[in-house]
């Protein structure tokens, strides 16, 4: 194996401080107490995320396992949940390093959960289970680089295993359960897309990393990397003592953690903290408490103090404060200090002296009025503002004053309102793209609709047997087991949902610049972006105004970046509709070469007017016909409003062969109202 970059060379020999200190601390705490629930590391490319994670296994103490067991059973655990068991009382034991198992983003479910051992099934006629990555990761580290790009079906598998501590396999004639307790570590670049909320909450801790700004520190990082590349063995040897000392400290903390006392006062302070920050559910309270205990053990303490709670909160709460993918994670340090206070009360004396003045608090400390559940602290309130966002003129809030027709002015951006649940927009027909949640497709998951002699994934046993049956006599079978050949294999064909490329083509011209109209348009697009995030789509943004169009956001998985670009979008000028459609066609052509399996869905947001350049209307019709001829699935969101409507967006939808959708009917609730009225 290639030499691994030393953990201490990145984070420091004595303490995990410096630019990567918070990440190193989170990783160490979750290995001291795996019940914390793993670590999510967010940061831009080139910030040593993968380097630190891969180096972590080198400084962890070795573990004892049952010799020869494929599932890393603990010999001290009497409840072995291993298909290779049961084991004798005097079973052989071996000590080995903690494993770091990497789960590729493109892994199949068979590779993760395990599956039927095909070679033995075909050659020997035996049904034997071949363990997957979850079995290999038991009692170790499961690392997912670019975890935000992980397929939904693998996310579901990880969620089940992380929650239950075991993996259950029911497929291909295999039915078994094995232990799968691992520390889940994920790294991601937020620019490439966000995580599903369900998986985000499953990570116990979350940290943000960035490259250091100090030139001297950056130079030292580069110097060490060059020295390692020149002589990996010699460079690692220079950190051997520091690595060994860190390993011993982790071992001591793992032994100490079960003896750390979490007092009622500390637990109450944690609950107050989680309530003050408005996190959902109780998982944050549990994770913060476990992390505080692990931090106390790491510091060699036998009782949780405020410093432990503060360190735990900074790791366990930021990612749980997000209400949607457009919210930036972070902590309010002022509120954190305000809620924590100055100190925790001492726990009551277990053998108090009798109070000569009569009954009272035996420990001399009151947990009621002074330290009870109603500790007074001020939570900062959002300022009240009845004015419309972006408006300082009272007339803008008066419908009778014609505010709805007043331009936003000067190309200044208008903020979107609160997003809502949208109706489902889909591509036509049945695709073959990546598994997702939008359009109908043949994918790796879903209901089984047939079988194929080519492909991958789960074997369709019944169809495999049917394919083999007619050839048994020719193969010389006169009884006994069925004679199978590799050509008999049939793979299940499944129909599910795919993710799409949702390309927004947005009219930002003067006709769209009325303040109330642009607010409604941006709110609708923001709602559709949130829907795209939930359905695991890629998104892109083309805008057109003045005399041309531009690609404001190349197709990406990061819908929060798209939301930020939308927020900055100004409006004004003429309407170059043809240029906008042609730019959308160019972007889709490029993406078709890059990702041919991902079907596009074009969402044109406009009132349908074309006013820029000669023959603007005719050129718009030709551009629309070009997209229609390419078979691009499209939706025209009609932003025209008022009593006098020209119906131009409806005519554009006809030329595109697109669905025509008034902006007021983008909402799923609006669609339901229309259905009830009909």
């Amino acid at each position: 194996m290639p030499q691994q970059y030393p953990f201490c060379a990145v984070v420091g020999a004595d303490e995990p401080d410096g630019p990567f200190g918070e990440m190193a601390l989170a990783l160490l705490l979750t290995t001291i107490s795996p019940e914390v629930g793993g670590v999510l590391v967010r940061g831009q490319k080139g910030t040593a995320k993968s380097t630190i994670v891969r180096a972590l296994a080198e400084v962890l103490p070795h573990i004892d396992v049952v010799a020869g067991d494929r599932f890393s059973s603990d010999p001290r655990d009497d409840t072995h949940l291993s298909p290779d068991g049961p084991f004798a009382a005097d079973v052989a034991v071996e000590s080995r390093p903690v494993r770091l198992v990497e789960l590729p983003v493109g892994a199949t479910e068979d590779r993760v959960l395990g599956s039927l051992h095909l070679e033995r099934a075909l050659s020997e006629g035996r049904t034997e289970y071949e363990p997957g990555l979850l079995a290999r990761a038991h009692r170790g580290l499961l690392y997912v680089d670019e975890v935000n790009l992980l397929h939904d079906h693998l996310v579901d598998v990880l969620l089940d295993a992380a929650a239950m501590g075991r993996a259950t396999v029911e497929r291909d004639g295999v039915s078994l359960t094995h232990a799968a307790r691992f520390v889940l570590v994920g790294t991601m670049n937020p620019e490439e897309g966000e995580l599903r909320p369900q998986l985000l909450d499953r990570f116990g801790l979350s940290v943000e990393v960035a490259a250091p700004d100090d030139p001297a520190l950056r130079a030292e990082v580069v110097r060490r990397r060059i020295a390692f590349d020149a002589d990996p063995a010699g460079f690692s040897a220079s950190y051997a003592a520091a690595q060994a000392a860190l390993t011993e400290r982790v071992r001591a903390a793992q032994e100490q953690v079960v003896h750390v006392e979490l007092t009622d006062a500390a637990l109450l302070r944690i609950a107050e903290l989680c309530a003050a920050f408005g996190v959902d559910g109780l998982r944050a309270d549990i994770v913060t408490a476990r992390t505080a205990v692990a931090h106390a053990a790491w510091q060699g303490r036998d009782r949780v103090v405020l410093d432990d709670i503060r360190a735990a909160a900074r790791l366990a709460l930021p990612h749980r404060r997000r209400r949607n993918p457009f919210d930036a994670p972070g902590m309010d340090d002022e509120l954190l200090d305000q809620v924590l206070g100055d100190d925790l009360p001492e726990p009551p004396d277990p053998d108090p002296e009798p109070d000569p003045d009569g009954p009272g608090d035996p420990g001399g400390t009151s947990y009621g009025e002074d330290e009870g559940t109603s500790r007074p602290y001020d939570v900062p309130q959002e300022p009240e503002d009845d004015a419309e966002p972006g408006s300082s003129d009272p007339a803008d809030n008066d419908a009778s004053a014609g505010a709805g027709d007043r331009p936003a002015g000067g190309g200044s951006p208008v903020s979107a309102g609160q997003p809502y649940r949208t109706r489902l927009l889909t591509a036509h027909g049945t695709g073959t793209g990546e598994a997702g949640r939008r359009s109908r497709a043949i994918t790796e998951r879903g209901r089984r609709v047939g079988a194929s002699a080519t492909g991958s994934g789960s074997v369709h046993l019944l169809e495999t047997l049917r394919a083999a049956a007619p050839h048994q006599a020719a193969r010389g079978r006169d009884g006994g087991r069925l004679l199978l050949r590799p050509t008999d294999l049939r793979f299940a064909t499944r129909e599910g949902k795919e993710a799409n490329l949702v390309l927004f083509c947005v009219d930002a011209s003067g006709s769209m610049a009325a303040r109330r109209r642009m607010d409604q348009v941006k709110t609708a697009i923001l709602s559709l972006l949130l829907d795209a995030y939930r359905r695991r789509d890629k998104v892109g943004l083309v805008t057109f105004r003045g005399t041309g169009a531009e690609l404001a956001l190349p197709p990406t998985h990061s819908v929060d970046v798209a939301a930020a670009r939308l927020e900055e979008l100004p409006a004004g000028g003429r309407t170059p509709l043809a240029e906008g459609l042609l730019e959308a066609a160019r972007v889709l052509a490029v993406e078709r070469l890059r990702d041919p399996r991902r079907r596009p869905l074009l969402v044109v947001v406009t009132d349908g007017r074309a006013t820029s350049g000669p023959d603007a209307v005719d050129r718009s019709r030709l551009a629309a016909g070009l997209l229609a001829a390419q078979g691009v699935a499209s939706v025209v969101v009609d932003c025209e409003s008022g009593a006098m409507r020209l119906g131009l967006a409806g005519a554009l939808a006809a030329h595109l062969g697109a669905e025509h959708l008034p902006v007021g009917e983008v909402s799923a609730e609006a669609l339901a109202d229309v259905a009830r009225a009909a």
Side-chain angles (χ1 to χ4, degrees):
M1 289 183 61
Q3 187 77 42
Q4 178 62 55
Y5 196 87
F7 187 83
C8 290
V10 185
V11 303
D14 301 320
E15 290 286 341
D17 52 10
F20 310 110
E22 198 168 64
M23 174 182 175
L25 178 61
L27 291 170
L28 291 171
L29 293 183
T30 198
T31 54
I32 290 169
S33 178
E35 293 80 7
V36 165
V39 182
L40 173 66
V41 184
R42 296 162 47 95
Q44 295 178 339
K45 56 185 177 295
T47 49
K49 301 185 298 294
S50 300
T51 300
I52 298 177
V53 173
R54 294 189 175 104
L56 176 64
E58 299 290 327
V59 297
L60 297 181
H62 288 202
I63 60 173
D64 292 334
V65 299
V66 174
D69 178 42
R70 296 175 297 167
F71 299 86
S72 302
S73 297
D74 187 345
R76 295 165 297 184
D77 185 0
D78 295 332
T79 60
H80 297 297
L81 195 59
S82 170
D84 288 353
F87 305 109
D90 58 347
V91 65
V93 175
E94 63 181 12
S95 179
R96 65 161 175 79
V98 170
R99 286 176 181 157
L100 173 70
V101 178
E102 296 195 37
L103 194 160
V105 170
T108 64
E109 189 171 336
D110 288 345
R111 185 72 185 95
V112 176
L113 277 176
S115 62
L116 180 69
H117 196 302
L118 286 179
E119 182 179 352
R120 290 182 181 167
L122 293 175
S123 62
E124 304 174 17
R126 289 198 296 125
T127 299
E128 182 176 326
Y129 172 69
E130 186 173 13
L133 295 178
L134 293 186
R136 183 171 175 77
H138 177 50
R139 302 180 64 204
L141 306 170
L142 182 63
Y143 173 45
V144 188
D145 193 14
E146 297 180 322
V147 64
N148 50 322
L149 304 182
L150 196 64
H151 294 302
D152 277 358
H153 66 283
L154 296 183
V155 171
D156 294 335
V157 169
L158 287 183
L159 290 180
D160 291 342
M164 305 300 295
R166 61 179 182 269
T168 300
V169 182
E170 296 282 354
R171 60 191 306 163
D172 301 338
V174 175
S175 177
L176 57 84
T177 299
H178 66 80
R181 292 186 296 274
F182 49 82
V183 174
L184 179 61
V185 180
T187 55
M188 59 174 281
N189 183 350
E191 295 179 353
E192 296 174 346
E194 287 293 343
L195 275 177
R196 282 176 55 188
Q198 297 92 327
L199 185 57
L200 182 64
D201 187 55
R202 290 290 185 182
F203 281 100
L205 310 179
S206 173
V207 293
E208 299 272 342
V209 295
D213 295 326
D214 182 2
L217 192 53
R218 295 173 70 99
E220 178 61 23
V221 171
V222 175
R223 187 178 298 111
R224 292 185 185 185
R225 184 70 215 192
I226 292 175
F228 173 78
D229 291 340
D231 182 11
F235 182 85
S236 299
S238 67
Y239 284 91
Q243 296 268 103
L246 183 57
T247 300
E248 287 306 312
R249 185 174 177 184
V250 172
R251 188 196 311 277
Q254 289 175 339
E255 296 172 354
Q256 172 70 11
V257 72
V258 296
H259 303 294
V260 173
E261 180 185 7
L262 179 66
T263 64
D264 289 343
L267 189 57
L268 184 59
R269 197 66 58 88
I270 290 170
E272 290 174 339
L273 193 61
C274 294
F277 278 96
V279 296
D280 294 331
L282 292 173
R283 183 174 284 119
D285 304 60
I286 297 171
V287 171
T288 304
R290 288 172 173 168
T291 307
V293 170
H295 189 268
W298 171 248
Q299 297 295 335
R301 288 189 280 266
D302 58 6
R303 181 161 59 89
V304 171
V305 299
L306 275 186
D307 285 345
D308 302 320
I309 299 176
R310 180 178 284 103
R314 296 185 65 85
L315 297 173
L317 298 185
H319 63 297
R320 292 187 165 86
R321 300 187 65 202
R322 306 185 76 189
R323 292 295 182 267
N324 64 62
F326 311 134
D327 296 335
M331 286 290 289
D332 185 337
D333 291 333
E334 184 177 347
L335 178 58
L336 178 63
D337 293 336
Q338 191 174 12
V339 177
L340 285 178
D342 297 329
D343 201 1
L344 289 172
E346 292 293 327
D349 189 346
D351 299 310
E353 294 292 332
D355 187 349
D357 296 327
D361 182 359
T365 301
S366 170
Y367 291 93
E369 227 174 89
D370 296 332
E371 297 291 338
T373 58
S374 58
R375 278 185 74 248
Y377 51 81
D378 298 324
V379 178
Q381 301 295 321
E382 294 291 331
E384 295 184 3
D385 186 4
D386 294 331
E388 182 179 338
S391 172
S392 59
D393 186 353
D396 284 349
N397 299 315
D398 186 356
S400 64
D405 298 326
R406 182 178 290 109
S412 60
V414 176
S415 297
Q418 187 67 25
Y420 46 74
R421 188 172 65 89
T422 66
R423 63 187 295 178
L424 175 61
L425 306 178
T426 62
H428 315 306
T430 303
T432 57
E434 300 292 342
R437 294 171 175 260
R438 183 173 296 278
S439 303
R440 180 179 174 185
I442 301 299
T443 62
E444 295 176 353
R445 285 181 62 86
R447 63 188 183 92
R448 194 161 59 189
V449 296
S452 171
T454 60
S456 60
S458 60
V459 175
H460 196 308
L461 288 180
L462 180 58
E463 293 300 324
T464 297
L465 294 177
R466 284 178 175 172
H471 306 290
Q472 295 306 296
R475 293 172 183 172
R477 177 175 180 253
D478 56 2
R481 65 181 180 85
L482 196 68
L483 298 179
L484 299 176
R485 298 290 184 270
T487 54
D488 299 330
L489 280 180
R490 297 295 182 269
F491 299 93
T493 302
R494 299 180 182 276
E495 183 179 294
K497 294 292 184 69
E498 69 177 357
N500 296 109
L501 164 61
V502 182
L503 180 64
F504 292 91
C505 186
V506 180
D507 184 348
S509 64
S511 63
M512 299 283 290
R515 186 176 301 280
R516 292 188 186 278
R517 178 184 292 187
M518 183 53 72
D519 175 77
Q520 186 182 27
V521 168
K522 285 192 174 183
T523 302
I525 299 174
L526 189 67
S527 302
L528 289 169
L529 282 172
L530 185 59
D531 181 66
Y533 160 74
R534 291 169 177 157
R535 299 185 188 281
R536 310 300 289 163
D537 297 315
K538 289 179 71 173
V539 296
L541 178 61
V542 170
T543 63
F544 55 95
R545 62 190 289 259
T547 59
E550 66 171 339
L551 178 60
L553 178 69
T556 174
H557 285 282
S558 183
V559 295
D560 52 338
V561 174
R565 299 288 172 86
L566 176 68
E567 189 70 17
E568 300 166 357
L569 179 66
R574 291 185 174 274
T575 311
L577 179 57
E579 284 73 10
L581 296 177
L582 290 173
E583 177 64 11
R586 185 194 68 81
V587 173
L588 293 178
V590 172
E591 285 302 307
R592 195 175 296 115
L593 296 175
R594 290 177 176 171
D595 192 357
R597 294 182 58 202
R598 189 180 296 268
R599 293 191 295 164
L601 176 63
L602 176 63
V603 180
V604 183
V605 184
T606 182
D607 57 10
R609 298 177 184 177
T611 62
S612 178
D615 302 322
V617 174
D618 290 339
R619 288 189 297 107
S620 300
R621 291 174 180 170
L622 290 173
L626 173 65
L627 285 164
Q630 293 176 353
V632 176
S634 307
V635 177
V636 175
V637 177
D638 187 350
C639 301
E640 192 174 28
S641 60
M644 299 294 293
R645 303 192 181 191
L646 302 178
L648 298 177
L652 174 63
H655 289 297
L656 281 169
E659 178 183 358
H660 176 243
L661 181 63
V663 68
E665 296 181 16
V666 172
S667 165
E669 286 74 13
L671 177 65
D673 291 341
V674 171
R676 284 192 292 268

